[in-house]
Amino acid sequence: MALIDDLRRAAPRGQVRSEPALLRAYAQDGYTLAAVEPRAVVWPASAAEVAAVVRVLARHRVPLVARGGGTSLSGGATPVGGGVVVHLSRLNHILGVDTDAAIAEVEPGVVNAWVSQAAARRGYAYRPDPSSQQACTIGGNIGENAGGPHCLKYGVTLNHVLMADVVWADGHESRVGSLSGDGEGVDALALLVGSEGTLGLVTRAWVRLLPLAEADATVQAVFDTVEDASRTVSDVMAAGIVPAALEMMDQLAVSAVERGQFRVGYPADLGAVLLVEVDGLAEQVADEAAEVQAIAARHRVRSVRRAASPAERTLWWANRKTAFGAMGLISPDYYVQDGVIPRSRLPEALDAIGQVGRQRDIRIANVFHAGDGNLHPLLLYDGRDPKDVQRVQAAGHEVLDVCLALGGSVTGEHGIGVEKREDLAHQLTESEMAFQRAVKAAFDPLDLLNPGKIFLP
Amino acid sequence: MRQHDRDSSEAGVAAEALLAEAGHDRVAVLPVGAGVRHRRPEGAWDGIPWISTKFQSIRRWAVPDFSVEADAGLTMASLNAELAGRGQWLPAGTPDGGADTLGGLVSAGLSGVWAGGYGLIRDRILAMTVATPAFGVVRLGAPVVKNVAGYNLWRLYWATHGAFGLILTITWKLAPLPRAAATLECAGDGPGLAAAFAEARRWRSAANAWAALLLNLRGPRWTLAGVAHGGDAHVERLRRELGATVQPQGDLGAARAQGCPVAWQARLPLAGLPPFLEWIARSGAHGLAELQSGVVWGFRDSPDPQRLDEVAALARQHGGSFRSLSEPWPAPSVPAAEGDMWRRLKASVDPQGVLPALGGDAEGKR
Ligand SMILES: Cc1cc2nc3c(=O)[nH]c(=O)nc-3n(C[C@H](O)[C@H](O)[C@H](O)COP(=O)(O)OP(=O)(O)OC[C@H]3O[C@@H](n4cnc5c(N)ncnc54)[C@H](O)[C@@H]3O)c2cc1C
């Protein structure tokens, strides 16, 4: 157990564990279709301990996987390459919120929602807001370049991380990016964001805060058909409105989420519901909310209204943000897909995805960031039946083929991980894949950081 | 694997041929845009130019999706003139006009006056087609507004002056043209900028999302210009609350540097902006700052334009970055701690070193 002893020496204030029961718990993340147990789990207590741990692992030529909240939906934090899980949950301090500079300085294990809450108390917002924000961490958000409903107007994690401290594959450390948000020379931060822990480990990050909008309004529009809802999405955007968020749920998704903790009281027979949030200056918000309602009315909306109070708005969003988990109320298991299409192809995409479901005899619920064209079909299945698992995996790939055929991408925010390595190879040409691999080889020549991700062996 | 739909456009074919020739003859390739900024890299000019302005088309404009793919040789102004016809625009461009090519803007890492209200132009890039010596013509990113399929390779081309390849096309995320726009202005005199900063704070608390909030400095005199994009009601409210003058058009009003070329660009963290600007004001230079984003430009008509090194050092001292736009361009710096990694990457993209080189470590350049 030389490795374990060396790890203990490298992280004296942290913890190193390798009991089988514990290792089983770290064999997976939010993607449940792959599982491999790690050799050990290490909880370093400081950035210096992270670096020391990485150096030990490099010396032993043992691979590692950084882990934040473990909510990745593509298997990003699953140790498929074997090796050691480096859990960053003890680096969980907000080190500063500076409103003059509009920057928060955080450790990677800080939960996303904590940053938003700390900023909001001072009149600011941290905008990337994955629906998992109560559990996922800033380190994991950087790893996956996470998005969320409010990324439509404000951009994804890449647009909000200014600077980071990084431990590289051989254990040496450096600071990348710049507090100004646009440094000089080459920019390793831009490569790190979304690199799924395959290029380096972030041990501290400086993220951009934005002043809270003066006013906002959330409009809820209930439609009889998905087509009418989709046309409303297109027309809202074409009207020159840039909503802060524009989300859609279809009937099956609503039927699940209405059984959950946050019930809105949506009619059971609706076709789709849209939540459209606009924010900005008070006059502009009033005008845009009225216009959204008028556009919905042109598309046979069944009911449309603005949230009457902050409490109602919060309820609508809590209902939407718990939609994935609510699938557990209508199916033993569910598989979340994540693909992107040009927004104008929404009706075609939903139609084609419906066909995949019918052909494979799989129920598919849709909950998604409609304004971004970022689809999240939820494929319902029973994991106890191996045939069902196979069918659902095949259907998942077919859904992504639909996105590619419409000129989109195989992932908008959940990453490639272990799940989409084949799909990435469909999306890119051989030369483009070679370029991607060249980055990995340059930054981690021994393939020690999260091996088995992004690229097929 | 996707069909290898190599960019068979004229530009792609020409770029590949040029790179092949350069590799064969062991000569350097020098990407050239409209030539409005830097004209050549530091050191001797000895190589084959890649003249991007030979290709100036809009390749694909997905109007309902607010995205456009345009040749790198197209100028900012030409693109926006075209987009305006359908009520769209790319909110970018330096204060001295739109003559930069799109590829030049990206390669030089130029920020625009709309960075505060609309974000950095860099963050509007969705995809690129580039020609590289090792991988040929490749597409990076995807023409959709969200995409995390692999590493963000298009970001290798931001502010690196072609060190990783020739940019052929860029796909941008567009914005709707504002329905109404107005510029509010007020002015004052030094000494010092305390009054200007106090006024700017008041303006920011009246509206925390200006399309642009610009402080123009010229000797002891300053002008604060707030460009509001929105409806008449909100412009009227701001005018009333702020007691400012409303300029008829929503352009940059008096803050626009009429015909005066930019000499340098700095980007400061917001906390570093006040001391930096105080220094600019004291030095008597002509400068313009976008106060929400921390981007600052200095103009060539400053009384003492020779002090670029001093300005650069000061920007860096306050945690900012500096780009000279009037000198031969410096090779993009590489921090010492990342040197091996970047050298390996550069060698795999450009094995014969025909593209512009990477530089060494730049002390304190972050
Ligand atoms: C119910 C639910 C809803 C979701 N909704 C969204 C959504 O709206 N938008 C969205 O984008 N995602 C969403 N996700 C996916 C997931 O929450 C995000 O990908 C999130 O960013 C993962 O963060 P994490 O802390 O859980 O990271 P983990 O799952 O632990 O890790 C994710 C990846 O990041 C790497 N990593 C972790 N920490 C570091 C570090 N410090 N340095 C370098 N790499 C690191 C890991 O190695 C791994 O590759 C959702 C997931 C669930 C379960």
Side-chain angles (χ1 to χ4, degrees):
Chain A
M1 293 309 271
L3 173 68
I4 302 291
D5 291 342
D6 284 355
L7 288 172
R8 291 213 164 99
R9 271 192 292 276
R13 293 192 301 122
Q15 233 188 352
V16 183
R17 292 176 61 181
S18 57
E19 322 79 276
L22 179 107
L23 297 184
R24 268 198 296 282
Y26 286 94
Q28 273 186 341
D29 55 23
Y31 176 69
T32 52
L33 294 167
V36 177
E37 287 178 19
R39 276 168 72 169
V41 183
V42 188
W43 284 264
S46 66
E49 288 194 359
V50 175
V53 163
V54 174
R55 280 195 294 274
V56 164
L57 292 168
R59 205 172 58 239
H60 285 264
R61 296 280 195 270
V62 171
L64 69 93
V65 184
R67 188 173 177 110
T71 66
S72 165
L73 290 171
S74 56
T78 300
V80 289
V84 168
V85 166
V86 178
H87 205 306
L88 294 150
S89 58
R90 295 184 67 167
L91 275 70
N92 61 2
H93 302 96
I94 296 182
L95 302 168
V97 176
D98 179 345
T99 50
D100 286 338
I103 289 172
E105 182 181 345
V106 301
E107 291 186 317
V110 166
V111 169
N112 173 295
W114 304 349
V115 186
S116 310
Q117 285 151 9
R121 285 196 288 275
R122 296 160 172 91
Y124 279 75
Y126 177 61
R127 284 298 177 179
D129 64 335
S131 301
S132 52
Q133 70 189 134
Q134 305 294 341
C136 67
T137 64
I138 295 296
N141 295 168
I142 293 174
E144 299 287 2
N145 190 9
H150 287 82
C151 292
L152 172 57
K153 180 168 181 178
Y154 294 103
V156 292
T157 301
L158 178 64
N159 311 130
H160 296 270
V161 181
L162 301 171
M163 194 162 87
D165 283 347
V166 185
V167 175
W168 301 105
D170 60 3
H172 85 276
E173 298 169 76
S174 76
R175 182 163 288 179
V176 299
S178 127
L179 283 183
S180 72
D182 187 16
E184 294 174 31
V186 293
D187 182 7
L189 181 62
L191 292 179
L192 262 173
V193 177
S195 66
E196 307 188 15
T198 62
L199 301 182
L201 272 63
V202 172
T203 55
R204 184 177 293 205
W206 287 259
V207 299
R208 191 161 73 104
L209 304 177
L210 293 174
L212 283 172
E214 178 182 298
D216 56 41
T218 304
V219 173
Q220 178 205 87
V222 174
F223 295 87
D224 289 332
T225 66
V226 166
E227 291 72 34
D228 284 334
S230 303
R231 286 195 196 99
T232 301
V233 171
S234 293
D235 284 3
V236 165
M237 305 301 291
I241 297 170
V242 184
L246 206 179
E247 301 281 302
M248 196 193 296
M249 291 191 283
D250 70 3
Q251 187 184 37
L252 186 54
V254 169
S255 76
V257 84
E258 283 292 285
R259 290 182 202 200
Q261 196 188 343
F262 302 104
R263 286 172 211 177
V264 170
Y266 290 122
D269 63 342
L270 56 62
V273 60
L274 285 184
L275 290 183
V276 189
E277 186 162 296
V278 287
D279 70 4
L281 301 169
E283 299 83 358
Q284 172 200 345
V285 165
D287 288 353
E288 290 185 351
E291 198 171 342
V292 168
Q293 288 173 276
I295 291 170
R298 287 207 292 276
H299 294 290
R300 294 185 288 273
V301 72
R302 187 193 292 189
S303 69
V304 60
R305 66 189 187 85
R306 266 178 78 158
S309 64
E312 189 171 45
R313 171 185 179 269
T314 306
L315 173 68
W316 292 356
W317 280 112
N319 171 285
R320 156 62 189 91
K321 288 198 171 186
T322 48
F324 289 2
M327 294 303 132
L329 301 170
I330 59 167
S331 169
D333 295 286
Y334 65 95
Y335 172 32
V336 183
Q337 256 308 354
D338 164 46
V340 199
I341 48 145
R343 189 177 41 228
S344 59
R345 314 294 296 269
L346 207 50
E348 282 160 88
L350 293 176
D351 199 42
I353 290 168
Q355 264 181 41
V356 169
R358 283 189 294 279
Q359 274 162 11
R360 294 268 174 195
D361 195 20
I362 289 170
R363 289 188 300 158
I364 300 182
N366 286 292
V367 179
F368 58 99
H369 313 305
D372 288 324
N374 186 185
L375 306 174
H376 289 320
L378 299 154
L379 290 72
L380 309 186
Y381 72 105
D382 185 345
R384 291 164 300 190
D385 175 354
K387 283 206 188 110
D388 219 19
V389 174
Q390 268 177 3
R391 263 186 334 166
V392 85
Q393 281 181 306
H397 293 301
E398 286 165 12
V399 163
L400 298 179
D401 288 343
V402 167
C403 295
L404 289 181
L406 294 173
S409 166
V410 297
T411 171
E413 54 182 21
H414 295 171
I416 299 297
V418 62
E419 176 202 11
K420 294 187 177 170
R421 295 174 300 179
E422 246 175 75
D423 307 290
L424 181 68
H426 278 136
Q427 178 168 341
L428 306 185
T429 63
E430 235 166 89
S431 316
E432 289 158 3
M433 280 304 279
F435 198 169
Q436 294 276 344
R437 282 182 189 278
V439 172
K440 171 70 172 167
F443 281 74
D444 177 19
L446 298 176
D447 197 17
L448 293 175
L449 301 183
N450 211 359
K453 303 296 164 64
I454 304 179
F455 307 105
L456 286 165
Chain B
M1 186 76 56
R2 195 179 87 213
Q3 275 291 316
H4 191 89
D5 50 355
R6 282 156 36 122
D7 192 317
S8 58
S9 69
E10 213 188 317
V13 172
E16 277 195 314
L18 186 84
L19 290 172
E21 182 192 336
H24 181 267
D25 297 346
R26 302 261 165 185
V27 291
V29 171
L30 296 159
V32 181
V36 291
R37 310 278 171 206
H38 327 271
R39 285 176 195 278
R40 61 198 162 79
E42 248 164 21
W45 173 288
D46 182 18
I48 331 173
W50 165 253
I51 300 169
S52 72
T53 47
K54 282 188 185 157
F55 305 98
Q56 303 201 14
S57 327
I58 288 183
R59 299 286 193 95
R60 203 184 45 87
W61 182 6
V63 178
D65 294 314
F66 284 81
S67 75
V68 71
E69 180 182 11
D71 281 334
L74 190 65
T75 65
M76 206 37 249
S78 315
L79 176 66
N80 270 334
E82 195 70 31
L83 297 176
R86 303 291 296 269
Q88 301 188 355
W89 71 311
L90 180 62
T94 52
D96 55 354
D100 293 282
T101 61
L102 299 168
L105 272 177
V106 171
S107 292
L110 298 189
S111 293
V113 282
W114 308 107
Y118 288 86
L120 283 188
I121 164 178
R122 183 190 70 192
D123 295 341
R124 291 190 166 267
I125 300 172
L126 302 177
M128 274 186 195
T129 320
V130 299
T132 64
F135 307 114
V137 174
V138 284
R139 244 199 273 154
L140 312 174
V144 282
V145 292
K146 240 168 154 189
N147 170 35
V148 293
Y151 304 124
N152 303 315
L153 295 187
W154 68 95
R155 286 284 297 264
L156 290 173
Y157 296 82
W158 176 256
T160 50
H161 293 287
F164 292 99
L166 308 172
I167 304 175
L168 303 179
T169 73
I170 305 168
T171 304
W172 303 93
K173 174 177 165 179
L174 303 174
L177 273 174
R179 292 163 180 201
T183 301
L184 286 83
E185 269 182 14
C186 71
D189 280 315
L193 293 175
F197 294 140
E199 196 61 4
R201 264 196 303 280
R202 201 167 72 85
W203 286 34
R204 286 197 80 175
S205 57
N208 60 17
W210 293 89
L213 187 59
L214 298 154
L215 184 64
N216 192 16
L217 305 174
R218 223 181 229 278
R221 185 149 184 84
W222 55 263
T223 315
L224 183 66
V227 185
H229 284 174
D232 294 341
H234 108 239
V235 170
E236 176 50 27
R237 173 184 31 121
L238 292 175
R239 191 198 57 75
R240 228 181 21 248
E241 273 179 27
L242 299 173
T245 324
V246 179
Q247 301 297 316
Q249 316 93 346
D251 76 357
L252 306 177
R256 184 179 281 286
Q258 306 285 359
C260 180
V262 167
W264 52 265
Q265 172 193 297
R267 178 116 196 254
L268 275 295
L270 293 183
L273 198 54
F276 182 76
L277 294 180
E278 288 282 10
W279 185 88
I280 297 290
R282 269 199 311 277
S283 76
H286 178 195
L288 180 70
E290 205 291 318
L291 299 176
Q292 304 168 106
S293 59
V295 185
V296 187
W297 296 272
F299 296 93
R300 290 202 201 159
D301 63 350
S302 292
D304 182 9
Q306 310 329 327
R307 299 164 74 179
L308 289 185
D309 286 350
E310 232 176 304
V311 183
L314 192 76
R316 291 172 190 144
Q317 185 193 321
H318 289 291
S321 59
F322 177 85
R323 306 200 204 295
S324 164
L325 302 180
S326 52
E327 304 266 285
W329 74 70
S333 57
V334 176
E338 298 162 29
D340 289 346
M341 300 184 288
W342 284 104
R343 268 187 290 279
R344 281 196 290 265
L345 182 58
K346 170 78 170 152
S348 54
V349 178
D350 178 21
Q352 291 166 309
V354 298
L355 294 169
L358 289 178
D361 187 18
E363 199 55 39
K365 279 197 185 178
R366 49 181 72 256

